[in-house]
């Protein structure tokens, strides 16, 4: 599985939406960003899934990004 630290969604990175692991979203925090390998292998669709975490409900799917121009920043361990 590919570890993604940050995703920028949109045609122009300066005007695009950015999501990163650890980002606060109200009372939740972005837990992980993953590429949906199943959608890619079955249907050829490039899809990214953004999961959030809350103390009350745990981890849940928050956003799905389908077939949009994206800039991916990988989680590198140096």
């Amino acid at each position: 599985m590919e570890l993604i630290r940050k995703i920028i969604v949109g045609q122009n990175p300066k005007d695009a939406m950015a999501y990163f692991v650890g980002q606060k979203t109200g009372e939740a925090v972005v837990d992980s960003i993953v590429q949906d390998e199943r959608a890619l292998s079955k249907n050829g669709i490039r899809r990214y899934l953004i999961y959030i975490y809350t103390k009350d409900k745990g981890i849940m799917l928050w956003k799905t990004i389908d077939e949009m121009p994206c800039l991916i920043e990988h989680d590198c361990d140096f």
Side-chain angles (χ1 to χ4, degrees), residues 54-65:
T54 64
K55 288 182 181 180
D56 299 345
K57 298 180 182 174
I59 297 173
M60 65 185 113
L61 183 61
W62 181 49
K63 292 193 181 269
T64 302
I65 301 164

Side-chain angles (χ1 to χ4, degrees), residues 18-57:
Y19 304 100
F20 58 90
V21 174
Q23 176 181 353
K24 292 187 179 192
T25 60
E27 294 186 18
V29 64
V30 174
D31 180 75
S32 58
I33 303 167
V34 297
Q35 183 173 355
D36 187 347
E37 298 293 337
R38 183 174 174 205
L40 185 60
S41 65
K42 275 186 93 173
N43 304 316
I45 297 171
R46 188 164 302 275
R47 176 182 292 157
Y48 295 94
L49 307 172
I50 302 175
Y51 291 90
I52 58 173
Y53 170 80
T54 64
K55 288 182 181 180
D56 299 345
K57 298 180 182 174

